[in-house]
Amino acid sequence: MSKWILAVALIFVVYALAVLASGMGINPTGIEWKFNNSGQFGDSFGPLSSIFACIAAISAFLAYSEQRNELTRVKLAYDEEKDRAEKRDFENMFFHLLEMKKSALNAVTVGSADAGTTGANAVDAIMNGVRDSQDDPDMLGSTYKASYYIYRNVLSSYLRTCYHVVKYIDQSNLVENGVYARIFRASLSNSEIVLIGVNAAVGGGKEKFKPLIEKYALLHNISASDASFYGLLDAFNVDAFGNRDIAKEIASGSDGLLNKD
């Protein structure tokens, strides 16, 4: 397009020089120029000038559109890279928190340091102790709090870490935060789920952790018998159990260990 405009401009320049030379008495073409007629002849170029003015305007518009499209492509590429960077940073922290949760779990010990039970088995022993000493369902809160007090140093660290993992997921801007919540809950043993559920029902997690448990269905993999015994069906709304009909499982006597995560 620019070559055509340059060519037309060159023609106009040659024409103007020829007319000027004729007016000065220089006539290399042998054609007699009369300025009283040249004005009319020059006016004949008016439509052509208008056409090329339109062409120039169209060229400017196309250049602007191309520049705008290029800026749009650059912005999209920047946004995509920014999203990838945010997701990468999130995952690095998320899996770091999972390692912290694992370390906090391994620090839970029942018995002596040499011959005691640690980790998920220790949590299972603690919750079995709560279950075995539970005679009255209405006394669950006091029974649990008594056991919690004995192991409060390690259990508090473990529960706080679990809460912050889920809170970190909830505060992220990623559309896939439900996927990371499922990864977290898949890392929980049944005894850990029971501990988290009971602590949110009658312990210190009731105010802050319970809404997140319901939002991300963290009780999805709990056994139906434990959900029934600890009264978790009444303590939480059905969203806490995901897509399970936990009431039906309890009524049928099914233990309901789906482990779909």
Side-chain angles (χ1 to χ4, degrees), residues 136-208:
D136 184 356
D138 294 332
M139 298 297 292
L140 174 62
S142 58
T143 304
Y144 166 74
K145 289 176 183 178
S147 295
Y148 176 85
Y149 183 80
I150 297 173
Y151 302 101
R152 63 189 181 279
N153 288 335
V154 287
L155 289 184
S156 62
S157 176
Y158 171 76
L159 290 168
R160 281 196 302 269
T161 304
C162 289
Y163 166 71
H164 282 291
V165 173
V166 183
K167 182 181 178 182
Y168 181 67
I169 294 171
D170 187 61
Q171 291 180 335
S172 74
N173 295 322
L174 301 178
V175 294
E176 311 97 329
N177 56 4
V179 173
Y180 297 101
R182 289 194 292 272
I183 292 174
F184 169 74
R185 76 187 190 196
S187 72
L188 302 172
S189 65
N190 184 70
S191 58
E192 291 176 79
I193 301 173
V194 172
L195 171 62
I196 290 172
V198 172
N199 183 71
V202 298
K206 189 172 185 178
E207 180 180 352
K208 294 182 178 180

Side-chain angles (χ1 to χ4, degrees), residues 61 64 74 76 83 109 119 134 139 152-154 156 158 168 205 227 237:
F61 175 76
Y64 166 76
V74 170
L76 288 174
D83 290 341
T109 302
Q134 183 64 37
M139 298 297 292
R152 63 189 181 279
N153 288 335
V154 287
S156 62
Y158 171 76
Y168 181 67
N237 66 42

Side-chain angles (χ1 to χ4, degrees), residues 115-133:
T117 302
T118 61
N121 291 331
V123 173
D124 190 50
I126 293 171
M127 298 313 297
N128 283 339
V130 173
R131 183 168 187 152
D132 293 342
S133 60

Side-chain angles (χ1 to χ4, degrees), residues 4 75 120 158 209:
W4 284 103
K75 185 178 184 301
Y158 171 76
F209 205 177

